[in-house]
mmCIF file of all heavy atoms in Angstrom:
data_model
loop_
_atom_site.group_PDB
_atom_site.id
_atom_site.type_symbol
_atom_site.label_atom_id
_atom_site.label_comp_id
_atom_site.label_asym_id
_atom_site.label_seq_id
_atom_site.Cartn_x
_atom_site.Cartn_y
_atom_site.Cartn_z
ATOM 1 N N GLY O 70 14.242 2.579 2.242
ATOM 2 C CA GLY O 70 14.417 2.674 3.690
ATOM 3 C C GLY O 70 14.876 4.046 4.120
ATOM 4 O O GLY O 70 14.855 4.338 5.340
ATOM 5 N N LEU O 71 15.209 4.947 3.200
ATOM 6 C CA LEU O 71 15.655 6.249 3.506
ATOM 7 C C LEU O 71 15.060 7.256 2.557
ATOM 8 O O LEU O 71 15.127 7.054 1.339
ATOM 9 C CB LEU O 71 17.188 6.354 3.480
ATOM 10 C CG LEU O 71 17.827 7.690 3.775
ATOM 11 C CD1 LEU O 71 17.606 8.066 5.266
ATOM 12 C CD2 LEU O 71 19.314 7.652 3.534
ATOM 13 N N VAL O 72 14.486 8.312 3.051
ATOM 14 C CA VAL O 72 13.893 9.372 2.239
ATOM 15 C C VAL O 72 14.359 10.732 2.774
ATOM 16 O O VAL O 72 14.427 10.953 3.984
ATOM 17 C CB VAL O 72 12.340 9.313 2.246
ATOM 18 C CG1 VAL O 72 11.769 10.316 1.289
ATOM 19 C CG2 VAL O 72 11.877 7.936 1.894
ATOM 20 N N LYS O 73 14.680 11.599 1.853
ATOM 21 C CA LYS O 73 15.061 12.991 2.284
ATOM 22 C C LYS O 73 13.912 13.857 2.660
ATOM 23 O O LYS O 73 12.799 13.664 2.116
ATOM 24 C CB LYS O 73 15.877 13.613 1.172
ATOM 25 C CG LYS O 73 17.221 12.923 0.900
ATOM 26 C CD LYS O 73 17.993 13.647 -0.197
ATOM 27 C CE LYS O 73 19.326 13.027 -0.407
ATOM 28 N NZ LYS O 73 20.136 13.734 -1.448
ATOM 29 N N PRO O 74 14.078 14.769 3.561
ATOM 30 C CA PRO O 74 12.952 15.700 3.927
ATOM 31 C C PRO O 74 12.444 16.401 2.668
ATOM 32 O O PRO O 74 13.143 16.762 1.755
ATOM 33 C CB PRO O 74 13.616 16.667 4.887
ATOM 34 C CG PRO O 74 14.741 15.895 5.508
ATOM 35 C CD PRO O 74 15.252 14.999 4.395
ATOM 36 N N TRP O 75 11.160 16.603 2.726
ATOM 37 C CA TRP O 75 10.366 17.321 1.672
ATOM 38 C C TRP O 75 10.059 16.467 0.475
ATOM 39 O O TRP O 75 9.332 16.901 -0.426
ATOM 40 C CB TRP O 75 10.974 18.646 1.354
ATOM 41 C CG TRP O 75 11.512 19.413 2.496
ATOM 42 C CD1 TRP O 75 12.772 19.816 2.693
ATOM 43 C CD2 TRP O 75 10.811 19.818 3.686
ATOM 44 N NE1 TRP O 75 12.920 20.461 3.856
ATOM 45 C CE2 TRP O 75 11.720 20.462 4.512
ATOM 46 C CE3 TRP O 75 9.500 19.693 4.049
ATOM 47 C CZ2 TRP O 75 11.351 20.952 5.748
ATOM 48 C CZ3 TRP O 75 9.098 20.198 5.302
ATOM 49 C CH2 TRP O 75 10.054 20.837 6.115
ATOM 50 N N GLN O 76 10.629 15.278 0.421
ATOM 51 C CA GLN O 76 10.366 14.386 -0.713
ATOM 52 C C GLN O 76 9.053 13.605 -0.403
ATOM 53 O O GLN O 76 8.472 13.691 0.643
ATOM 54 C CB GLN O 76 11.514 13.443 -0.929
ATOM 55 C CG GLN O 76 12.753 14.131 -1.505
ATOM 56 C CD GLN O 76 13.848 13.105 -1.880
ATOM 57 O OE1 GLN O 76 13.896 12.023 -1.320
ATOM 58 N NE2 GLN O 76 14.685 13.505 -2.813
ATOM 59 N N THR O 77 8.671 12.800 -1.360
ATOM 60 C CA THR O 77 7.494 11.961 -1.267
ATOM 61 C C THR O 77 7.934 10.458 -0.961
ATOM 62 O O THR O 77 8.789 9.974 -1.739
ATOM 63 C CB THR O 77 6.674 11.969 -2.506
ATOM 64 O OG1 THR O 77 6.076 13.290 -2.718
ATOM 65 C CG2 THR O 77 5.477 10.955 -2.390
ATOM 66 N N LEU O 78 7.401 9.940 0.049
ATOM 67 C CA LEU O 78 7.616 8.505 0.381
ATOM 68 C C LEU O 78 6.585 7.683 -0.340
ATOM 69 O O LEU O 78 5.378 7.915 -0.220
ATOM 70 C CB LEU O 78 7.513 8.298 1.891
ATOM 71 C CG LEU O 78 7.473 6.814 2.355
ATOM 72 C CD1 LEU O 78 8.762 6.156 2.070
ATOM 73 C CD2 LEU O 78 7.095 6.736 3.845
ATOM 74 N N SER O 79 6.975 6.724 -1.075
ATOM 75 C CA SER O 79 6.121 5.767 -1.752
ATOM 76 C C SER O 79 6.417 4.388 -1.270
ATOM 77 O O SER O 79 7.588 3.866 -1.398
ATOM 78 C CB SER O 79 6.298 5.845 -3.282
ATOM 79 O OG SER O 79 5.868 7.113 -3.767
ATOM 80 N N LEU O 80 5.387 3.733 -0.772
ATOM 81 C CA LEU O 80 5.471 2.337 -0.323
ATOM 82 C C LEU O 80 4.405 1.492 -1.008
ATOM 83 O O LEU O 80 3.273 1.920 -1.177
ATOM 84 C CB LEU O 80 5.325 2.219 1.172
ATOM 85 C CG LEU O 80 6.363 2.940 2.056
ATOM 86 C CD1 LEU O 80 5.893 2.849 3.537
ATOM 87 C CD2 LEU O 80 7.714 2.240 1.884
ATOM 88 N N THR O 81 4.754 0.266 -1.334
ATOM 89 C CA THR O 81 3.854 -0.630 -2.031
ATOM 90 C C THR O 81 3.620 -1.847 -1.114
ATOM 91 O O THR O 81 4.584 -2.359 -0.509
ATOM 92 C CB THR O 81 4.374 -1.036 -3.385
ATOM 93 O OG1 THR O 81 4.433 0.112 -4.231
ATOM 94 C CG2 THR O 81 3.475 -2.103 -4.009
ATOM 95 N N CYS O 82 2.415 -2.325 -1.085
ATOM 96 C CA CYS O 82 2.063 -3.536 -0.393
ATOM 97 C C CYS O 82 1.740 -4.585 -1.404
ATOM 98 O O CYS O 82 0.778 -4.395 -2.199
ATOM 99 C CB CYS O 82 0.930 -3.340 0.591
ATOM 100 S SG CYS O 82 0.549 -4.838 1.557
ATOM 101 N N ILE O 83 2.486 -5.647 -1.407
ATOM 102 C CA ILE O 83 2.265 -6.787 -2.326
ATOM 103 C C ILE O 83 1.396 -7.820 -1.589
ATOM 104 O O ILE O 83 1.763 -8.336 -0.557
ATOM 105 C CB ILE O 83 3.568 -7.383 -2.761
ATOM 106 C CG1 ILE O 83 4.471 -6.329 -3.395
ATOM 107 C CG2 ILE O 83 3.320 -8.523 -3.738
ATOM 108 C CD1 ILE O 83 5.944 -6.699 -3.491
ATOM 109 N N VAL O 84 0.243 -8.109 -2.153
ATOM 110 C CA VAL O 84 -0.725 -9.041 -1.511
ATOM 111 C C VAL O 84 -0.788 -10.338 -2.319
ATOM 112 O O VAL O 84 -0.914 -10.288 -3.507
ATOM 113 C CB VAL O 84 -2.133 -8.419 -1.444
ATOM 114 C CG1 VAL O 84 -3.131 -9.343 -0.768
ATOM 115 C CG2 VAL O 84 -2.065 -7.083 -0.669
ATOM 116 N N SER O 85 -0.748 -11.437 -1.611
ATOM 117 C CA SER O 85 -0.936 -12.736 -2.206
ATOM 118 C C SER O 85 -1.970 -13.503 -1.412
ATOM 119 O O SER O 85 -2.125 -13.306 -0.224
ATOM 120 C CB SER O 85 0.370 -13.492 -2.324
ATOM 121 O OG SER O 85 0.933 -13.760 -1.063
ATOM 122 N N GLY O 86 -2.633 -14.473 -2.036
ATOM 123 C CA GLY O 86 -3.621 -15.324 -1.327
ATOM 124 C C GLY O 86 -5.006 -14.703 -1.208
ATOM 125 O O GLY O 86 -5.916 -15.458 -0.755
ATOM 126 N N GLU O 87 -5.164 -13.495 -1.593
ATOM 127 C CA GLU O 87 -6.478 -12.865 -1.537
ATOM 128 C C GLU O 87 -6.464 -11.651 -2.521
ATOM 129 O O GLU O 87 -5.532 -10.860 -2.517
ATOM 130 C CB GLU O 87 -6.775 -12.357 -0.132
ATOM 131 C CG GLU O 87 -8.154 -11.740 -0.026
ATOM 132 C CD GLU O 87 -9.293 -12.712 -0.159
ATOM 133 O OE1 GLU O 87 -9.611 -13.477 0.819
ATOM 134 O OE2 GLU O 87 -9.833 -12.835 -1.267
ATOM 135 N N SER O 88 -7.497 -11.550 -3.324
ATOM 136 C CA SER O 88 -7.636 -10.414 -4.247
ATOM 137 C C SER O 88 -8.059 -9.235 -3.469
ATOM 138 O O SER O 88 -8.966 -9.243 -2.612
ATOM 139 C CB SER O 88 -8.641 -10.761 -5.332
ATOM 140 O OG SER O 88 -8.276 -11.875 -6.093
ATOM 141 N N ILE O 89 -7.417 -8.126 -3.766
ATOM 142 C CA ILE O 89 -7.693 -6.828 -3.046
ATOM 143 C C ILE O 89 -9.061 -6.254 -3.350
ATOM 144 O O ILE O 89 -9.476 -5.332 -2.667
ATOM 145 C CB ILE O 89 -6.613 -5.802 -3.257
ATOM 146 C CG1 ILE O 89 -6.426 -5.394 -4.728
ATOM 147 C CG2 ILE O 89 -5.253 -6.368 -2.657
ATOM 148 C CD1 ILE O 89 -5.477 -4.269 -4.924
ATOM 149 N N TRP O 90 -9.744 -6.822 -4.315
ATOM 150 C CA TRP O 90 -11.078 -6.321 -4.640
ATOM 151 C C TRP O 90 -12.174 -7.262 -4.009
ATOM 152 O O TRP O 90 -13.383 -7.129 -4.320
ATOM 153 C CB TRP O 90 -11.324 -6.247 -6.140
ATOM 154 C CG TRP O 90 -11.039 -7.533 -6.921
ATOM 155 C CD1 TRP O 90 -11.899 -8.491 -7.189
ATOM 156 C CD2 TRP O 90 -9.794 -7.885 -7.470
ATOM 157 N NE1 TRP O 90 -11.315 -9.475 -7.900
ATOM 158 C CE2 TRP O 90 -10.031 -9.123 -8.148
ATOM 159 C CE3 TRP O 90 -8.534 -7.286 -7.561
ATOM 160 C CZ2 TRP O 90 -8.979 -9.840 -8.801
ATOM 161 C CZ3 TRP O 90 -7.501 -7.983 -8.216
ATOM 162 C CH2 TRP O 90 -7.708 -9.202 -8.849
ATOM 163 N N THR O 91 -11.715 -8.164 -3.132
ATOM 164 C CA THR O 91 -12.735 -9.100 -2.501
ATOM 165 C C THR O 91 -13.467 -8.398 -1.345
ATOM 166 O O THR O 91 -12.816 -7.880 -0.412
ATOM 167 C CB THR O 91 -11.973 -10.329 -1.963
ATOM 168 O OG1 THR O 91 -11.303 -10.924 -3.078
ATOM 169 C CG2 THR O 91 -12.914 -11.264 -1.301
ATOM 170 N N TYR O 92 -14.783 -8.449 -1.466
ATOM 171 C CA TYR O 92 -15.629 -7.996 -0.418
ATOM 172 C C TYR O 92 -15.476 -8.855 0.824
ATOM 173 O O TYR O 92 -15.370 -10.045 0.688
ATOM 174 C CB TYR O 92 -17.060 -7.943 -0.898
ATOM 175 C CG TYR O 92 -18.092 -7.487 0.093
ATOM 176 C CD1 TYR O 92 -18.456 -6.142 0.178
ATOM 177 C CD2 TYR O 92 -18.709 -8.388 1.006
ATOM 178 C CE1 TYR O 92 -19.394 -5.704 1.135
ATOM 179 C CE2 TYR O 92 -19.659 -7.972 1.900
ATOM 180 C CZ TYR O 92 -19.954 -6.619 1.960
ATOM 181 O OH TYR O 92 -20.919 -6.175 2.852
ATOM 182 N N PRO O 93 -15.447 -8.326 2.035
ATOM 183 C CA PRO O 93 -15.640 -6.918 2.504
ATOM 184 C C PRO O 93 -14.337 -6.231 2.944
ATOM 185 O O PRO O 93 -14.395 -5.352 3.758
ATOM 186 C CB PRO O 93 -16.583 -7.113 3.709
ATOM 187 C CG PRO O 93 -16.026 -8.361 4.352
ATOM 188 C CD PRO O 93 -15.546 -9.215 3.225
ATOM 189 N N TYR O 94 -13.236 -6.633 2.437
ATOM 190 C CA TYR O 94 -11.963 -6.250 3.031
ATOM 191 C C TYR O 94 -11.526 -4.811 2.653
ATOM 192 O O TYR O 94 -11.821 -4.304 1.612
ATOM 193 C CB TYR O 94 -10.847 -7.212 2.601
ATOM 194 C CG TYR O 94 -11.045 -8.581 3.070
ATOM 195 C CD1 TYR O 94 -11.250 -9.642 2.185
ATOM 196 C CD2 TYR O 94 -11.127 -8.891 4.433
ATOM 197 C CE1 TYR O 94 -11.464 -10.955 2.616
ATOM 198 C CE2 TYR O 94 -11.355 -10.169 4.905
ATOM 199 C CZ TYR O 94 -11.533 -11.181 3.959
ATOM 200 O OH TYR O 94 -11.758 -12.477 4.446
ATOM 201 N N TYR O 95 -10.810 -4.262 3.577
ATOM 202 C CA TYR O 95 -10.130 -2.956 3.455
ATOM 203 C C TYR O 95 -8.629 -3.201 3.577
ATOM 204 O O TYR O 95 -8.217 -4.003 4.351
ATOM 205 C CB TYR O 95 -10.540 -1.916 4.458
ATOM 206 C CG TYR O 95 -11.889 -1.284 4.185
ATOM 207 C CD1 TYR O 95 -13.083 -2.013 4.245
ATOM 208 C CD2 TYR O 95 -12.000 0.081 3.900
ATOM 209 C CE1 TYR O 95 -14.306 -1.429 4.020
ATOM 210 C CE2 TYR O 95 -13.263 0.694 3.697
ATOM 211 C CZ TYR O 95 -14.362 -0.091 3.756
ATOM 212 O OH TYR O 95 -15.581 0.490 3.532
#
C-alpha cells in the first residue's frame, strides 16, 4: 500500500475462474 519514491512498485493480480492463457482475453 505504500512505496517510497524511486523504488519499484510490484503488484500481482490473482485470477480465478479463467485461465489467463485462454483465447481471446487480455
Side-chain angles (χ1 to χ4, degrees):
L71 180 65
V72 184
K73 293 181 177 180
W75 319 123
Q76 292 186 333
T77 296
L78 169 66
S79 293
L80 296 173
T81 295
C82 184
I83 304 162
V84 180
S85 62
E87 183 68 82
S88 298
I89 59 174
W90 56 89
T91 299
Y92 180 90
Y94 298 117
Y95 283 66

